[in-house]
Each structure stands twice: as structure tokens, then as C-alpha cells.
Amino acid sequence: VGENYTATAGKSVLLSGVESLKMTVEELAISAKKKLTLKVGETTLVMDADRHAIEAPETITAHADARNDLNAAKSGQNDRTGG
């Protein structure tokens, strides 16, 4: 597809690749009114208004990594003097 591609369906749309499907974009937004389900192999991630659940046949491992740069020579928490 050279430019824009739009698909609209009254019930559902399936986008698949036999071996792989790749997308490269500046920004990707996926919106669901009721529920979003992502499945890789036998592991499923389900998000809806009431829950975010990961369902897997074996152990689930979660890893989080982040930086917390305060950019301050002196900082304080709950300090009324501001520093």
C-alpha cells in the first residue's frame, strides 16, 4: 500500500500474515470500547474496564525498568521549606 489504507467493517476485521506482520510507525493508537485481547502463543493479555489480566499455561515473569532523575542538588519529600 503506497499511501493510506483504511478498512471498516460492521462486525470484525482480521489482519494477519502467514509468517509475520510488521508495522513501523511514529505513533500507534489502539482503541477498544469494551475489551482488548493480545495473544502470543498460549499467553493472552486481556484488558477491559474492570481488569488487566495475563493468562499463561506456565510461570509469568514481569520486569520493569525506569530512570528517576530528580535534576536537583538537594531535594526533599514532605519538606515545607521547598528543598
Side-chain angles (χ1 to χ4, degrees):
V1 178
E3 298 250 343
N4 296 326
Y5 177 76
T6 302
T8 304
K11 197 163 187 174
S12 66
V13 172
L14 172 64
L15 181 60
S16 67
V18 174
E19 291 187 21
S20 68
L21 177 64
K22 297 178 184 179
M23 287 189 282
T24 303
V25 296
E26 289 286 323
E27 182 177 327
L28 176 64
I30 299 174
S31 227
K33 289 184 179 181
K34 294 183 180 181
K35 180 170 72 172
L36 173 65
T37 303
L38 302 173
K39 185 167 184 172
V40 177
E42 295 299 315
T43 301
T44 305
L45 169 64
V46 179
M47 293 185 285
D48 63 24
D50 299 324
R51 70 181 185 129
H52 294 176
I54 301 173
E55 301 162 358
E58 295 186 25
T59 302
I60 298 171
T61 302
H63 174 79
D65 192 5
R67 291 178 48 182
N68 185 9
D69 296 330
L70 295 176
N71 292 323
K74 181 181 176 188
S75 65
Q77 185 172 356
N78 301 323
D79 183 357
R80 293 181 187 260
T81 64

